[in-house]
Amino acid sequence: MKVDMLRQLNIQSIYRGENFKVNSVSYLPKKATYGIEVTDLLLGIVRTIILNESSDSNRKKAKNQLVMELLNNESNLYPFLESIKLFEWYGDSSELRSVPFNSYIDVFFSSNLKLLN
């Protein structure tokens, strides 16, 4: 697995046109670095919002419901997610354009409103 991770990271370097090479990779056990855990959690929430998959399975329904509850409560999650700078490829060109993430949040929220009951 370490070889695959090393290979994938170096492929990312080439793909992005960056000038770096990864020489070694090591895995950390769970709960060793909370920053990575929180980042992984936030990326999962962002992914769930962007994909906005219909809740046709219990697992997808539970994920969507959790995100809906997190967005709907008194926490600072909604303003934080709303401040995300998202860039998407524009057409067939190599141009990136800024897309307001709150438009994804609004579509997700309206698609899953029934889960808040």
Side-chain angles (χ1 to χ4, degrees), residues 7 18 25 46 50 62 72 75-76 85-87 97 109:
R7 188 171 149 269
E18 299 290 333
V25 174
V46 168
I50 290 173
N72 196 41
S75 73
N76 292 326
K85 293 190 184 300
L86 180 68
F87 294 88
R97 69 175 181 178
F109 203 83

Side-chain angles (χ1 to χ4, degrees), residues 49-93:
I49 291 170
I50 290 173
L51 293 179
N52 194 18
E53 296 176 315
S54 63
S55 52
D56 54 355
S57 72
N58 287 338
R59 183 172 188 231
K60 288 178 187 174
K61 183 178 179 180
K63 282 171 68 174
N64 288 353
Q65 186 167 6
L66 174 62
V67 172
M68 286 296 289
E69 289 173 10
L70 290 171
L71 289 173
N72 196 41
N73 73 13
E74 300 287 324
S75 73
N76 292 326
L77 184 63
Y78 183 84
F80 173 76
L81 291 176
E82 198 175 35
S83 72
I84 290 176
K85 293 190 184 300
L86 180 68
F87 294 88
E88 294 180 346
W89 294 113
Y90 185 70
D92 291 335
S93 72

Side-chain angles (χ1 to χ4, degrees), residues 49 78 82 86 88 99-110:
I49 291 170
Y78 183 84
E82 198 175 35
L86 180 68
E88 294 180 346
V99 177
F101 189 64
N102 65 333
S103 61
Y104 280 99
I105 296 171
D106 292 344
V107 170
F108 179 83
F109 203 83
S110 63

Side-chain angles (χ1 to χ4, degrees), residues 3-21:
V3 174
D4 282 342
M5 178 66 77
L6 186 72
R7 188 171 149 269
Q8 287 298 321
L9 289 170
N10 284 317
I11 287 171
Q12 286 297 315
S13 169
I14 294 167
Y15 174 74
R16 299 190 187 288
E18 299 290 333
N19 190 18
F20 70 83
K21 182 177 180 183

